[in-house]
Amino acid sequence: MRGPHGMRLAIVGNGKMGRTVAALAEERGHAVHVIGREENVGGGALTRDRLAGVNVAIEFTRPDAVVANLERLIQAGVPTVTGTTGWSTELPRVQRLVESRGGALLHGSNFSVGVHLFLRAARELASRFAARPEFGAFILEEHHAAKRDSPSATAAALRSKAREADASREFPITSVRAGFIPGTHVLTYDGPDESISLSHVARSRRAFAAGALAAAEWLPGHPGVHGFEAMLFGEAG
Ligand SMILES: NC(=O)c1ccc[n+]([C@@H]2O[C@H](COP(=O)([O-])OP(=O)(O)OC[C@H]3O[C@@H](n4cnc5c(N)ncnc54)[C@H](OP(=O)(O)O)[C@@H]3O)[C@@H](O)[C@H]2O)c1
């Protein structure tokens, strides 16, 4: 049922993120239709008929499923937010499709507002330590055992933000996959007598789900391909 002031959302993917987004969307008064893998082999459930009346789709699946889903959603004319990671080599092709169809797509590997502020703080930290070679710099990232990609896309973003301020360092990344950790990223500068760390710890998937919903509320009326930062800070994604 359509919520009082809500949108009609299709949530593609019924995994940890899809379920979290669906629960939060319902709390906010959106009407939710969840599409899981079994009914959607090769994106087959994402037809114009099945999606009639849907304002925005939110896609959280897997690297081997996301591109077919996006192609179908764009062809059906549905503005789409995807948080699925591990498909960046396919982005140019998807981008051309969105542009040729006049569609709207927002993609991002991390939809937490706190992470994006943390990345900016990391760039600042890196600029402060740029002229201090006695400190060794490294990144540690930890996630739950089921996370498939490694290092995380957020760790790669952290390295590239730090390298914007200090290209002389490599910022090597160590990845841990164990237990149920929702996601931890730490940038450390370690010197002979002191150690400085800046860390972000995701306490719950709701931070990512809230960002995905904010993106879904923003996307209609913004044709083209956008990153999460474009929505958050009003910049090119
Ligand atoms: N952007 C962000 O902020 C953010 C945050 C967290 C996670 N992520 C990324 O989001 C993705 C999903 O994460 P997750 O933790 O939710 O993973 P997950 O629990 O493994 O869920 C993925 C779900 O997608 C389903 N699926 C696979 N192919 C599908 C298809 N064609 N149509 C519909 N559903 C399909 C899977 O079904 P089966 O289990 O039946 O195969 C599974 O339920 C990952 O790439 C992860 O890295 C991004």
Side-chain angles (χ1 to χ4, degrees):
M1 295 294 290
R2 192 183 171 92
H5 306 291
M7 298 190 298
R8 195 176 282 272
L9 300 176
I11 311 257
V12 183
N14 198 16
K16 293 181 285 297
M17 278 309 302
R19 291 193 300 270
T20 310
V21 172
L24 196 61
E26 283 179 341
E27 279 176 33
R28 292 196 182 182
H30 297 302
V32 168
H33 175 53
V34 179
I35 299 168
R37 181 182 57 81
E38 280 175 15
E39 59 179 306
N40 188 42
V41 175
L46 307 176
T47 61
R48 207 175 268 274
D49 280 357
R50 293 278 299 273
L51 296 166
V54 165
N55 302 110
V56 183
I58 301 181
E59 205 273 2
F60 277 99
T61 61
R62 297 202 167 156
D64 58 1
V66 55
V67 175
N69 287 338
L70 296 182
E71 285 172 347
R72 293 300 197 100
L73 289 162
I74 300 308
Q75 280 159 0
V78 179
T80 299
V81 172
T82 182
T84 304
T85 54
W87 60 280
S88 57
T89 55
E90 301 288 325
L91 180 60
R93 190 158 65 83
V94 172
Q95 191 147 6
R96 284 195 293 278
L97 180 66
V98 173
E99 280 157 11
S100 73
R101 297 280 173 142
L105 175 71
L106 188 147
H107 65 96
S109 56
N110 197 308
F111 287 162
S112 136
V113 172
V115 153
H116 288 278
L117 297 172
F118 163 75
L119 292 177
R120 289 173 174 228
R123 184 173 58 192
E124 170 67 17
L125 186 68
S127 93
R128 299 277 170 191
F129 278 86
R132 302 286 180 185
E134 67 274 27
F135 287 85
F138 62 94
I139 291 168
L140 173 65
E141 61 102 342
E142 301 173 332
H143 284 85
H144 57 85
K147 182 169 174 65
R148 299 188 167 212
D149 44 338
S150 170
S152 69
T154 302
L158 176 57
R159 174 165 55 192
S160 88
K161 269 281 182 285
R163 282 180 57 84
E164 280 176 20
D166 182 1
S168 72
R169 296 182 194 264
E170 290 300 321
F171 298 99
I173 300 171
T174 298
S175 301
V176 173
R177 296 286 175 271
F180 300 88
I181 310 166
T184 298
H185 293 88
V186 189
L187 171 62
T188 297
Y189 282 86
D190 196 71
D193 303 308
E194 56 192 341
S195 182
I196 298 91
S197 289
L198 181 69
S199 68
H200 177 274
V201 179
R203 202 171 292 132
S204 137
R205 291 188 178 86
R206 283 171 69 95
F208 307 124
L213 283 171
E217 287 160 3
W218 176 86
L219 189 58
H222 292 92
V225 176
H226 310 278
F228 187 65
E229 283 188 280
M231 191 270 295
L232 202 55
F233 300 120
E235 297 165 6

